[in-house]
Amino acid sequence: MEPDVILAAREAELEAELAELTRLPAEIGSISFGKRVGEGTSMAVDRLAAVSTQEALLAMLTEVRRARQLVVEGTYGVCEVCGEPIPEGRLEARPWATRCVKDG
Ligand SMILES: [Zn+2]
């Protein structure tokens, strides 16, 4: 499969996950209102977890978009830092990798 096809699919997947996450806090907020303190605390923890998940997803989305940009520029698969080709195995594991293992 073409890298851009894989990356486009990954980007859509991440956007869907983010949309799902941003939908959740509003619901948690309305449910937690008026509940016991203990429940409110666990919901606050859930929300924190959602925020860190969201940050991780956003970071990955940024990487995926960057990698797609490199496809357009014709430098996909080449390390941004040292200019060496990124090993195929790494690209299979992380198609959005823009750096080699050494510089990653
Ligand atoms: Zn490198």
Side-chain angles (χ1 to χ4, degrees):
M1 224 193 292
E2 289 300 308
D4 196 48
V5 175
I6 299 168
L7 292 169
R10 187 72 187 131
E11 186 178 3
E13 216 175 273
L14 288 166
E15 281 169 349
E17 281 181 52
L18 276 165
E20 181 72 9
L21 265 182
T22 47
R23 190 177 61 80
L24 283 174
E27 286 180 10
I28 290 169
S30 64
I31 295 164
S32 69
F33 190 72
K35 294 263 171 140
R36 284 178 296 136
V37 172
E39 285 178 33
T41 307
S42 79
M43 283 185 182
V45 171
D46 284 351
R47 199 180 304 197
L48 275 180
V51 167
S52 64
T53 305
Q54 191 177 5
E55 278 170 5
L57 288 173
L58 276 172
M60 196 180 284
L61 188 57
T62 304
E63 279 187 71
V64 170
R65 286 178 175 159
R66 175 84 192 123
R68 292 196 71 190
Q69 184 58 36
L70 295 181
V71 172
V72 172
E73 289 170 10
T75 55
Y76 175 77
V78 177
C79 174
E80 283 187 307
V81 178
C82 67
E84 294 287 320
I86 300 171
E88 218 167 285
R90 178 166 168 83
L91 285 176
E92 269 170 34
R94 292 168 56 93
W96 51 88
T98 58
R99 291 176 183 191
C100 69
V101 182
K102 173 167 60 74
D103 297 312

